[in-house]
């Protein structure tokens, strides 16, 4: 790693940590920080969870592709707490932490005001399903079947053999032969005890196997967990002593013995010589066929030699998983054979190679044989200026002028038993505007250390962090503990101090605790999550809720349902249903039905519109039951229905369309706070056509039309977004959006023109991104003449210029 970059990251971490001090910083404008606070990935054996935290509330609209592909683009509508939405947000390139080589990158973009897209990419085509959080401040994406491997082109297999075994139990004391025999008899397969050293401790492991396919091993694992609840799947992990010290029972059906009639010894010798010749000529497929023919024979003197040779052929052909399985089969059959020592050495070398560190984010480098490091440092500048003309009066204001420095650092150690992860994300934003606040703000989105024990299925994390658990709101400072009891059941718990934004300081006023359980009886086809969440504020119950989420995934269909119920208020806080299905060969239909409290139902909502700054001050004028009623009265209810469809049109075009309806209820007038009216039913429709390679190879064009109709306004928006490849690593993207708005609350008609130019340069370690836009807003409003008092049509014009530039260095 470059020395100057090391010092820069260290400086960024030092700047990030002051956000943990005891006095709170003032609430920032959204423009002073990224829209996405944190993207983190947690990988398990068969799936990975991506957790995204936003700076303000968002509403899921759609994603394309919906459930399978090398990535997805998620469309979200910004909530009212996101501030002004007249201009698109600058693009963001957040670091993806913890994703290994699975999640390769993320990009946040905004084409239309009030709407963003989050583009996530992974290293290969995967199935996935997503769900929002109960508060709307986050999004979770689960990648399914991440360890599914296809067969090699050299042999006709549906799944590559991997030397699988089922670990039934582990002990530091020798395991009696009677226990081994009981395991073999109960599971009707080969049982054995192996020995291994882990972190200077000697362990005896009761196992069944080996199995040559994961499917067979998982079948036995499911049966075994009824009597061995701590059973787990082992894949090529016999690194120390690979020969069994105790064994009993029968072999698995896949290794049950010869299936061919015996051949004459002369013919067997000829086949073995032909296999050796094919290996020397690098005709690996022919060699595999010949050796498999020999291994289907009854036991004969040269069979051990053929078994070892098949492992060597697989290894030379690059089929490392198959090679490990063949070497393990040799040691199982011939633990004292002439080639046993040599075979153990080869198997250990292959196993050690599989543990070499990999990239741990969208970039990353190995620091030694086990440690890996990834991170980035970025500096950006945003500038905005607005000019308003009405009659002969012109006013010019600076809307934003800020510089930001951010850094990310992710350190990981993968050991034979333990995994250690440390992460720090932080930054510093300096507001250059002297007419609005001024000063600077620091932020910390992550500062934690995590330790995982794969043997016992335990994970512990401490520090400022974010979780995929539904009950946790935003970031928090505290501790998380998770326990994977078996392949179908897991529990986790978290407790600490909520930090509702990355600018929040540590405060002991609010405390929370949550308990989550996940049940997966159908191997990711149908997963059930349940949680209990409790938060207090100065001794009062801020929020106490129970929740349930179920996820269903099948080829061509996915569905997610989330329910959050507040048992303190005895009110339904949110209920969400997201589903999609494939219709025919090309059409994909999606639906999103959402009912929720807005904002999230909490006792502190009683402070909205009041002069009091905390609940203690509010208690001087209201009783606890009155404060509880005030919180209910200040919390509105929103209902959303979105139906979308998409399909490809030929090789270059794709059609996407959606219909949606949103309604936000009003609030009552109580406690000296006036009421608010309902927004009424806001109906909108949008269509989008995306075409690629229209003017040049690899270009992209998106043509969109959106129609909004609500009781207070009507609007029509047309937009064009393009992306062209220039010389080298440069890309250029012109954009144009035109909106016609008739807003009765503004008293007239408006026309908005949003031309924009975006460009970026991307290399392996560096990214430079710039955006320049110019918004022209023309409003026809009715104004009252000062002399006659009669209404007169007037024109108000507003012009806004905004610029942003970001340079990011990755390592």
């Amino acid at each position: 790693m470059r020395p100057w970059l090391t010092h820069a990251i260290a400086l960024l971490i030092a700047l990030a940590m002051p956000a943990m001090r005891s006095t709170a910083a003032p609430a920032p404008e959204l423009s002073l920080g990224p829209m996405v606070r944190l993207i983190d990935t947690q990988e398990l054996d068969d799936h990975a969870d991506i957790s995204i935290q936003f700076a303000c509330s968002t509403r899921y609209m759609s994603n394309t592709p919906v459930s399978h592909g090398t990535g997805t683009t998620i469309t979200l509508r910004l909530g009212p707490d996101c501030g002004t939405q007249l201009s698109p947000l600058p693009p963001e390139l957040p670091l993806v932490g913890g994703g290994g080589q699975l999640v390769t990158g993320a990009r946040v973009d905004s084409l239309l005001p009030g709407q963003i897209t989050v583009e996530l990419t992974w290293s290969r085509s995967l199935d996935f399903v997503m769900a929002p959080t109960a508060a709307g401040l986050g999004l979770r994406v689960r990648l399914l079947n991440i360890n599914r491997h296809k067969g090699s082109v050299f042999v006709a297999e549906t799944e590559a053999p991997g030397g699988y075994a089922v670990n039934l139990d582990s002990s530091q004391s020798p395991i009696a032969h009677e226990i081994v025999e009981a395991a073999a008899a109960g599971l009707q397969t080969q049982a054995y005890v192996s020995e291994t050293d882990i972190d200077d401790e000697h362990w005896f492991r009761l196992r069944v196997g080996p199995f040559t396919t994961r499917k067979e091993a998982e079948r036995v694992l499911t049966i075994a967990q009824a009597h061995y609840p701590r059973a787990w799947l082992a894949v090529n992990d016999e690194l120390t002593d690979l020969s069994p010290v105790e064994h009993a029972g029968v072999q698995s059906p896949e290794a049950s013995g010869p299936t061919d009639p015996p051949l004459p010894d002369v013919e067997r010798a000829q086949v073995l010589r032909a296999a050796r010749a094919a290996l020397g000529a690098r005709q690996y497929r022919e060699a595999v066929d010949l050796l498999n023919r020999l291994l289907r024979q009854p036991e004969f003197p040269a069979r051990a030699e053929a078994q070892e040779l098949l492992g060597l052929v697989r290894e030379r052909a690059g089929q490392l998983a198959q090679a490990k399985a063949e070497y393990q089969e040799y040691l199982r059959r011939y633990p004292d054979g002439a080639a046993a020592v040599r075979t153990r050495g080869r198997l250990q070398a292959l196993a050690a190679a599989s543990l070499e560190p990999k990239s741990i984010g969208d970039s990353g480098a190995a620091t030694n044989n086990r440690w890996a490091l990834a991170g980035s440092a970025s500096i950006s500048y945003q500038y905005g200026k607005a000019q308003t003309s009405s009659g002969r009066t012109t006013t010019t204001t600076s809307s934003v002028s800020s510089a930001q420095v951010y850094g990310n650092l992710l350190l990981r150690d993968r050991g034979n038993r333990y995994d250690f992860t440390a992460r720090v994300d932080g930054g510093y934003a300096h507001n250059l505007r002297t007419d609005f606040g001024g000063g600077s703000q620091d932020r910390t989105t992550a500062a934690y250390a995590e330790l995982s024990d794969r043997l016992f299925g335990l994970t512990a994390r401490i520090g400022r962090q974010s979780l995929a658990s539904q009950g946790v709101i935003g970031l928090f400072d505290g501790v998380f503990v998770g326990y994977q009891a078996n392949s179908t059941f897991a529990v986790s718990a978290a407790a600490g101090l909520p930090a509702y934004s990355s600018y929040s300081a540590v405060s002991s006023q609010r405390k929370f605790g949550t308990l989550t359980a996940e049940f997966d009886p159908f191997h990711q086809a149908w997963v059930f999550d349940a949680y209990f969440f409790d938060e207090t504020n100065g001794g009062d119950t801020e929020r106490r809720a129970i929740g349930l989420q179920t996820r269903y995934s099948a080829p061509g269909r996915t569905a997610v349902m989330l329910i959050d119920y507040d048992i303190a208020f005895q009110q339904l806080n949110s209920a969400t249903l997201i589903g999609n299905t494939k219709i025919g060969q090309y059409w994909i239909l999606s639906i999103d039905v959402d009912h929720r409290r807005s904002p999230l139902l909490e006792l502190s909502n009683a402070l909205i519109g009041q002069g009091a700054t905390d609940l203690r001050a509010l208690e001087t004028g209201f009783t606890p039951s009155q404060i509880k009623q005030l919180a209910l009265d200040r919390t509105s209810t929103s209902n959303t229905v979105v139906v979308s469809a998409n399909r490809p049109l030929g090789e270059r075009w794709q059609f996407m369309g959606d219909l949606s309806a949103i309604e936000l209820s009003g609030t009552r007038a109580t406690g000296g706070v006036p009421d608010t009216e309902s927004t009424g039913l806001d109906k909108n429709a949008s269509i989008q056509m995306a075409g690629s390679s229209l003017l040049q190879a690899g270009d992209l064009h998106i043509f969109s039309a959106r129609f909004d109709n609500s009781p207070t306004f009507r609007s029509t928006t047309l937009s064009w977004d393009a992306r062209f490849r220039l010389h080298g690593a440069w890309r250029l993207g012109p954009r144009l959006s035109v909106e016609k708005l008739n807003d009765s609350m503004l008293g007239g008609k408006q026309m908005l023109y949003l031309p924009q130019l975006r460009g970026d340069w991307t290399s392996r370690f560096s990214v430079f991104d710039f955006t320049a836009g110019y918004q022209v807003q023309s409003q026809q409003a009715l104004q009252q003449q000062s002399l006659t008092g009669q209404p007169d049509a007037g024109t108000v014009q507003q012009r806004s210029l905004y610029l942003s530039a970001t340079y990011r260095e990755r390592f």
Side-chain angles (χ1 to χ4, degrees), residues 513-732:
T514 182
L515 180 66
T516 304
E518 179 175 295
F519 183 50
D520 176 19
F522 305 109
H523 302 290
Q524 297 299 318
W526 206 318
V527 182
F528 303 90
D529 291 326
Y531 63 85
F532 171 75
F533 183 88
D534 183 77
E535 181 180 345
T536 60
N537 187 343
D540 298 320
T541 299
E542 177 78 7
R543 178 173 179 251
R544 182 173 294 160
I546 56 175
L548 172 68
Q549 183 188 81
T550 177
R551 297 184 298 273
Y552 171 76
S553 178
R557 299 185 304 276
T558 62
V560 174
M561 184 180 69
L562 169 65
I563 296 176
D564 184 279
Y565 181 81
D566 196 299
I567 56 180
F569 285 93
Q570 297 184 347
Q571 296 285 330
L572 180 65
N573 189 45
S574 65
T576 302
L577 174 63
I578 299 175
N580 62 76
T581 184
K582 190 172 184 179
I583 300 177
Q585 187 175 359
Y586 299 108
W587 283 100
I588 296 179
L589 181 67
S590 304
I591 185 170
D592 175 15
V593 181
D594 183 87
H595 168 86
R596 68 177 57 243
R597 292 286 183 162
S598 181
L600 183 74
L601 184 56
E602 295 179 321
L603 191 63
S604 294
N605 291 0
L607 297 171
I608 298 175
Q610 300 287 342
T613 58
D614 56 46
L615 292 176
R616 302 285 77 75
L618 198 61
E619 289 173 352
T620 60
F622 298 94
T623 65
S625 60
Q626 289 175 329
I627 293 176
K628 192 173 181 179
Q629 186 60 47
L630 287 176
L632 284 168
D633 294 339
R634 300 287 81 78
T635 307
S636 61
T637 302
S638 71
N639 294 289
T640 304
V641 177
V642 181
V643 179
S644 60
N646 69 80
R647 66 156 293 168
L649 300 174
E651 296 182 354
R652 298 186 179 183
W653 290 93
Q654 179 155 343
F655 166 82
M656 292 161 281
D658 63 73
L659 299 172
S660 64
I662 303 173
E663 184 175 22
L664 184 67
S665 71
T667 59
R668 297 174 53 193
T670 54
V673 180
D675 65 345
T676 61
E677 296 183 359
S678 169
T679 61
L681 189 62
D682 180 7
K683 305 174 290 295
N684 64 77
S686 67
I687 56 175
Q688 191 176 90
M689 291 289 293
S692 60
S693 300
L694 301 182
L695 301 180
Q696 65 171 207
D699 69 1
L700 176 66
H701 299 261
I702 301 176
F703 302 91
S704 304
R706 188 173 73 182
F707 309 93
D708 285 89
N709 187 353
S710 80
T712 58
F713 73 91
R714 294 182 179 181
S715 70
T716 302
T717 306
L718 302 176
S719 63
W720 166 65
D721 180 20
R723 182 63 61 90
F724 299 98
R725 292 187 178 274
L726 301 182
H727 177 71
W730 281 97
R731 294 189 303 173
L732 195 65

Side-chain angles (χ1 to χ4, degrees), residues 405-560:
V405 180
Y406 296 118
N408 310 267
L409 188 63
L410 182 66
L411 182 66
R412 171 168 289 175
D413 170 43
R414 290 186 180 273
N416 294 337
R417 175 179 173 182
Y418 297 103
D419 286 349
F420 173 78
T421 302
R423 179 170 183 176
V424 174
D425 289 13
Y428 178 86
H430 183 64
N431 188 357
L432 301 176
R433 291 177 58 186
T434 59
D435 59 333
F436 186 81
S440 60
Q441 294 161 334
D442 46 61
R443 58 183 292 264
T444 303
T445 55
Y448 64 78
E450 177 184 285
L451 183 65
S452 298
D453 184 340
R454 290 196 299 274
L455 181 62
F456 291 110
L458 289 171
T459 299
R461 177 189 288 184
I462 186 170
R464 174 159 289 192
Q465 56 189 286
S466 171
L467 287 179
S469 301
Q470 297 91 326
V472 178
I473 306 304
L475 304 172
F476 73 94
D477 302 297
V479 63
F480 163 81
V481 178
Y483 172 59
Q484 186 77 36
N486 51 53
S487 63
T488 62
F489 184 72
V491 293
S492 62
L497 312 174
Y500 283 87
S501 77
S502 56
Y503 296 92
S504 301
V506 175
S507 172
S508 60
Q509 190 71 13
R510 294 191 178 190
K511 302 180 180 67
F512 84 94
T514 182
L515 180 66
T516 304
E518 179 175 295
F519 183 50
D520 176 19
F522 305 109
H523 302 290
Q524 297 299 318
W526 206 318
V527 182
F528 303 90
D529 291 326
Y531 63 85
F532 171 75
F533 183 88
D534 183 77
E535 181 180 345
T536 60
N537 187 343
D540 298 320
T541 299
E542 177 78 7
R543 178 173 179 251
R544 182 173 294 160
I546 56 175
L548 172 68
Q549 183 188 81
T550 177
R551 297 184 298 273
Y552 171 76
S553 178
R557 299 185 304 276
T558 62
V560 174

Side-chain angles (χ1 to χ4, degrees), residues 4 70 82 92 104 138 218 222-223 244 271 286 293 324 364 377 381 439-440 459 516 564 594 673 693 717 722 764 795:
W4 66 269
T70 57
C82 294
E92 300 173 15
T104 57
E218 289 179 343
T222 303
I223 300 173
V271 173
E286 181 179 350
R293 182 182 175 189
K324 292 177 186 178
Y381 176 73
S440 60
T459 299
T516 304
D564 184 279
D594 183 87
V673 180
S693 300
T717 306
R764 181 179 179 184
T795 301

Side-chain angles (χ1 to χ4, degrees), residues 113-343:
Q115 185 173 294
I116 64 170
T117 60
V118 179
E119 181 183 359
L120 301 173
T121 56
W122 15 94
S123 57
R124 62 182 186 273
S125 291
L126 291 169
D127 297 319
F128 51 87
V129 63
M130 66 186 57
T133 59
L137 291 172
L139 192 69
R140 295 180 308 280
V141 182
R142 172 161 289 189
L143 304 179
L144 307 175
N145 304 317
I146 61 174
N147 289 328
R148 179 182 296 167
H149 301 289
K150 300 298 182 180
S152 170
V153 297
F154 293 103
V155 289
E157 296 172 330
T158 58
E159 188 174 15
Y164 301 101
V166 175
N167 195 97
L168 302 177
D169 199 5
S170 299
S171 173
Q172 290 185 286
S173 302
I175 298 175
H177 183 70
E178 293 78 9
I179 297 177
V180 183
E181 288 184 331
L187 297 175
Q188 290 296 300
T189 187
Q190 176 83 2
Y192 64 96
V193 175
S194 68
E195 297 181 62
T196 186
D197 291 315
I198 301 177
D199 297 332
D200 299 326
E201 294 180 351
H202 195 71
W203 290 85
F204 297 87
R205 302 196 286 200
L206 174 61
R207 295 192 162 191
V208 291
F211 307 98
T212 56
T213 67
R214 188 185 187 100
K215 181 178 180 181
E216 174 64 14
E218 289 179 343
R219 184 189 68 80
V220 176
L221 174 63
T222 303
I223 300 173
Q225 285 173 339
H227 301 283
Y228 301 91
R230 300 181 60 82
W232 50 276
L233 185 66
V235 184
N236 299 324
D237 63 347
E238 300 284 6
L239 299 180
T240 306
D241 185 0
L242 299 170
S243 60
V245 297
E246 286 284 357
H247 59 86
V250 298
Q251 299 176 17
S252 66
E254 296 177 341
S256 58
T259 59
D260 291 351
L263 297 174
D265 291 341
V266 175
E267 187 172 347
R268 287 172 177 163
Q270 291 175 348
V271 173
L272 185 59
R273 285 196 299 270
R276 288 189 175 278
L279 173 61
R282 298 185 179 181
Q283 297 174 350
Y284 301 124
R285 182 171 182 175
E286 181 179 350
V288 167
D289 291 340
L290 293 169
L291 292 171
N292 277 330
R293 182 182 175 189
L294 288 178
L295 295 182
R296 290 194 298 268
Q297 290 288 299
E299 192 68 38
F300 64 99
R303 192 191 183 285
E305 182 182 356
Q307 183 70 57
E308 181 196 8
L309 187 61
L310 181 56
L312 183 60
V313 172
R314 298 284 199 185
E315 185 177 355
R316 296 276 180 86
Q319 303 170 5
L320 302 185
Q322 294 97 323
K324 292 177 186 178
E326 301 300 346
Y327 289 146
Q328 287 181 328
E329 176 66 8
Y330 180 96
L331 293 173
R332 189 190 67 81
R333 284 180 173 269
Y334 314 107
D336 300 318
V341 175
R342 182 168 61 246
T343 302

